[in-house]
Amino acid sequence: MNHLLILLFTCCIPYLSNGIEFNYPAVFNFGDSNSDTGDLVAGVGDNLDPPNGQTYFKGPSGRFCDGRLIVDFLIDAMDLPFLNAYLEALGVPNFRKGCNFAAAGSTILPPTPNSVSPFSFGIQVAQFFRFKSRVLQLQSKSRRFNKYLPDEDYFSQGLYMFDIGQNDLAGSFYSKSYDQIVASIPLVLIEFEAGIKKLYDQGARNFWVHNTGPLGCLPQNIAKFGTDPSKLDALGCVAAHNKASNIFNLQLHALVTKLQAQYLDANITHIDIFTIKSNLIANFSKYGPPLNYNSQVACGQTKTINGSSITTTVCNDTTEYVNWDGIHYTEAANQHIASQILTGKFSDPPFADKMPFLLNLKF
């Protein structure tokens, strides 16, 4: 058995908590490529080519990964079907159990002309309200759509998940100084808070917020910004990127704590993704270049560079790697991260010691 899979199976089997029920009738997800199940590809009419999707879906699924994402494993643990992308019109999408508004490249702040995705957090929230309004309109006219659309009370009883903010930081390093990036974080979180408030005011009560991972450990960032060894931290990651991630996460956690005190009738859970991913990277050496990233040749592609044909082949060994394509994690890593989330040890409020019954994981 390979090293990463051994690491996967050594984590604890989680139970359920009083606060985290895991029996939500529906899930509504907002985010970027870490949880995008096809929105960007459908929304901008783009193509996501093989080998994406090769491990689980046996072909591109709209996910920037060789297989399943963290959100897929979490949804599966809740015994719910994978979330359909809001903008995906084909494949007989079913939104009975929720909807995914996350789109790769999305930021919390409004998009700029150079943004990868036009579907910023504010747009995603607006899309949700359009979705909810349309659902209620259709359900009021006929119950023949009941098989495909959530009931009205699903919107108040459902879980609202968020994994966004990475691109607000990562993209800024190409044009701004470290001090400028850190100074912009409060503005980013004001925008995030505004979206949460809108959802709360419309009846959302169950919130699940992921902080951002260690950006400096992404192979793409190491290749671009980590050529000077003095700029790397103890993990071999770009120190400035990870410091910015930590500052963002401290302020995000403070915001979640504020919202927990402000909205006493809501369940708001903060998940420390940064620590989970950092622990994984610290205990597994094969995460960075030159092992699984080439800035000139995308995963699985062949190109001629300086007269030589170059093919990236490491995508065939995805269970041996934490990173898939320089930015996104492999299915094997996502599986480990999800199982760590479900231990309850990395959440605020924690639920590791309050679990009344066993959660039967399918992975």
Side-chain angles (χ1 to χ4, degrees), residues 166-180:
Q166 174 174 310
N167 295 314
D168 292 272
L169 300 178
S172 296
F173 274 95
Y174 288 86
S175 60
K176 297 179 180 179
S177 69
Y178 172 80
D179 289 341
Q180 288 174 322

Side-chain angles (χ1 to χ4, degrees), residues 91-169:
V92 195
N94 190 319
F95 299 105
R96 176 72 177 166
K97 297 294 185 177
C99 185
N100 193 0
F101 301 90
S106 294
T107 53
I108 293 175
L109 291 177
T112 68
N114 296 322
S115 295
V116 173
S117 166
F119 308 114
S120 64
F121 182 54
I123 296 297
Q124 292 180 28
V125 171
Q127 289 174 334
F128 166 78
F129 289 130
R130 162 67 178 169
F131 173 83
K132 179 180 178 181
S133 174
R134 187 76 175 125
V135 165
L136 297 181
Q137 181 184 49
L138 290 170
Q139 291 284 50
S140 68
K141 291 181 178 180
S142 172
R143 298 305 294 176
R144 65 191 179 97
F145 299 111
N146 189 59
K147 184 176 170 181
Y148 305 100
L149 302 176
D151 291 339
E152 182 174 2
D153 59 2
Y154 285 16
F155 292 104
S156 59
Q157 297 173 9
L159 178 64
Y160 293 74
M161 300 179 69
F162 309 88
D163 191 333
I164 194 167
Q166 174 174 310
N167 295 314
D168 292 272
L169 300 178

Side-chain angles (χ1 to χ4, degrees), residues 138-267:
L138 290 170
Q139 291 284 50
S140 68
K141 291 181 178 180
S142 172
R143 298 305 294 176
R144 65 191 179 97
F145 299 111
N146 189 59
K147 184 176 170 181
Y148 305 100
L149 302 176
D151 291 339
E152 182 174 2
D153 59 2
Y154 285 16
F155 292 104
S156 59
Q157 297 173 9
L159 178 64
Y160 293 74
M161 300 179 69
F162 309 88
D163 191 333
I164 194 167
Q166 174 174 310
N167 295 314
D168 292 272
L169 300 178
S172 296
F173 274 95
Y174 288 86
S175 60
K176 297 179 180 179
S177 69
Y178 172 80
D179 289 341
Q180 288 174 322
I181 293 168
V182 170
S184 72
I185 290 174
L187 297 176
V188 174
L189 293 179
I190 286 173
E191 186 79 10
F192 183 70
E193 181 180 9
I196 295 292
K197 184 178 186 303
K198 288 178 182 178
L199 292 167
Y200 176 85
D201 288 344
Q202 288 294 319
R205 289 297 181 269
N206 302 302
F207 300 89
W208 178 291
V209 181
H210 288 181
N211 69 9
T212 198
L215 296 180
C217 296
L218 297 178
Q220 183 188 70
N221 289 333
I222 297 173
K224 174 69 176 178
F225 300 98
T227 53
D228 182 352
S230 68
K231 297 185 182 299
L232 303 179
D233 61 19
L235 290 178
C237 305
V238 185
H241 283 63
N242 279 357
K243 286 179 182 177
S245 299
N246 269 315
I247 293 172
F248 176 88
N249 288 338
L250 285 170
Q251 294 186 30
L252 176 65
H253 195 181
L255 172 59
V256 170
T257 301
K258 169 189 167 184
L259 294 173
Q260 288 169 340
Q262 182 176 346
Y263 300 138
L264 296 178
D265 60 338
N267 297 309

Side-chain angles (χ1 to χ4, degrees), residues 52 64 162 165 173 253 268-269 281 287 305 310 316 340 348:
N52 286 288
F64 289 78
F162 309 88
F173 274 95
H253 195 181
I268 307 175
T269 302
I281 291 166
Y287 69 91
I305 300 175
I310 299 176
N316 297 328
Q340 289 295 296
D348 176 23

